[in-house]
């Protein structure tokens, strides 16, 4: 868009096996973090628009609210504050599904969560991923629209074994190829 003849995006494979891993959660942590669907990230207006369509699920939302942006009223009861580091990975561990909604400026380059979520052994639904990083339908699940994400959340919440199999394959791939 800015006139460059060639551009390359290099992924940041960001799994730190000391942090991004499966945790044994305490009963207090399970109660605090457990959800059917979680999102952790900056709550831009675009991301909030997507999340506001998912409030009929048991969803928990964590993250920063950018300056000049207000949290949507429809999301207030689903918002639980900021989360980084080990707290973030424990949130991933406690969720059945973790959403990865790329920011507008990251649509093609991936983000750190692309690798961190599966490295925690968690099922990831993502809007876009390079097929050389993870295989759709085997290691992660890609969604294409609001209706698609709703259908896939419903499906994978009802199909625990399939969801766990995909999460485990993503876990193995992240640990093998993305550390």
């Amino acid at each position: 868009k800015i006139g460059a003849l060639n551009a390359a995006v290099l992924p940041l494979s960001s799994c730190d096996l000391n942090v991004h891993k499966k945790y044994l959660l305490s009963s207090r942590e399970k109660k605090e973090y457990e959800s059917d669907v979680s999102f952790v990230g900056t709550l831009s207006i675009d991301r909030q628009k997507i999340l506001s369509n998912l409030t009929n699920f048991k969803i928990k939302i964590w993250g920063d609210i950018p300056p000049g942006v207000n949290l949507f009223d429809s999301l207030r009861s689903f918002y639980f504050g900021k989360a980084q580091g080990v707290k973030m990975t424990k949130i991933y561990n406690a969720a059945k599904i973790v959403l990865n909604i790329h920011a507008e400026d990251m649509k093609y380059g991936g983000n750190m969560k692309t690798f961190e979520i599966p490295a925690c052994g968690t099922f990831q639904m993502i809007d876009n991923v390079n097929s050389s990083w993870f295989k759709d339908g085997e290691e992660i699940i890609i969604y294409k629209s609001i209706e698609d994400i709703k259908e896939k959340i419903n499906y994978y919440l009802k199909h625990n074994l399939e969801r766990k199999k995909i999460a485990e394959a993503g876990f193995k791939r992240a640990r093998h190829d993305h550390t």
Side-chain angles (χ1 to χ4, degrees):
K1 289 182 180 179
I2 62 172
L5 297 177
N6 293 298
V9 178
L10 302 176
L12 174 61
S13 296
S14 57
C15 301
D16 177 346
L17 299 183
N18 294 315
V19 177
H20 307 110
K21 61 184 180 180
K22 296 178 183 180
Y23 283 88
L24 182 60
L25 302 176
S26 69
S27 57
R28 181 196 60 78
E29 290 170 326
K30 285 180 187 175
K31 184 178 180 182
E32 183 177 353
Y33 302 142
E34 195 172 60
S35 67
D36 286 345
V37 181
S38 276
F39 172 81
V40 180
T42 302
L43 290 163
S44 64
I45 291 172
D46 291 333
R47 286 174 166 168
Q48 288 190 59
K49 285 178 183 176
I50 293 168
L51 294 167
S52 65
N53 285 282
L54 305 175
T55 57
N56 57 323
F57 297 103
K58 183 182 173 194
I59 186 169
K60 288 189 176 179
I61 299 168
W62 310 79
D64 295 325
I65 301 170
V69 173
N70 293 317
L71 183 65
F72 288 13
D73 288 338
S74 62
L75 298 177
R76 290 195 189 285
S77 63
F78 303 95
Y79 178 69
F80 292 88
K82 297 179 181 184
Q84 298 174 342
V86 173
K87 179 179 178 180
M88 177 182 67
T89 60
K90 288 183 176 184
I91 291 166
Y92 293 163
N93 275 256
K96 292 178 182 173
I97 297 171
V98 175
L99 300 177
N100 187 349
I101 306 167
H102 284 93
E104 284 300 313
D105 62 345
M106 292 184 188
K107 284 288 183 198
Y108 306 105
N111 59 18
M112 294 185 336
K113 288 172 180 51
T114 303
F115 308 99
E116 294 170 348
I117 295 166
C120 293
T122 305
F123 182 91
Q124 176 175 203
M125 286 186 64
I126 190 169
D127 53 4
N128 185 25
V129 73
N130 183 313
S131 62
S132 68
W133 299 343
F134 292 100
K135 292 180 182 149
D136 182 28
E138 294 178 30
E139 299 163 332
I140 51 93
I141 296 297
I142 296 173
Y143 68 88
K144 298 293 183 193
S145 66
I146 295 294
E147 288 309 311
D148 188 37
I149 194 171
K150 287 179 185 180
E151 288 173 18
K152 287 178 176 175
I153 289 172
N154 277 316
Y155 177 85
Y156 286 106
L157 287 176
K158 292 176 184 170
H159 295 87
N160 291 327
L161 293 177
E162 190 174 350
R163 185 182 73 243
K164 289 176 183 179
K165 181 179 175 185
I166 292 168
E168 186 63 23
F171 174 74
K172 288 177 181 175
R173 179 73 181 270
R175 294 178 70 82
H176 185 266
D177 293 341
H178 300 300
T179 60

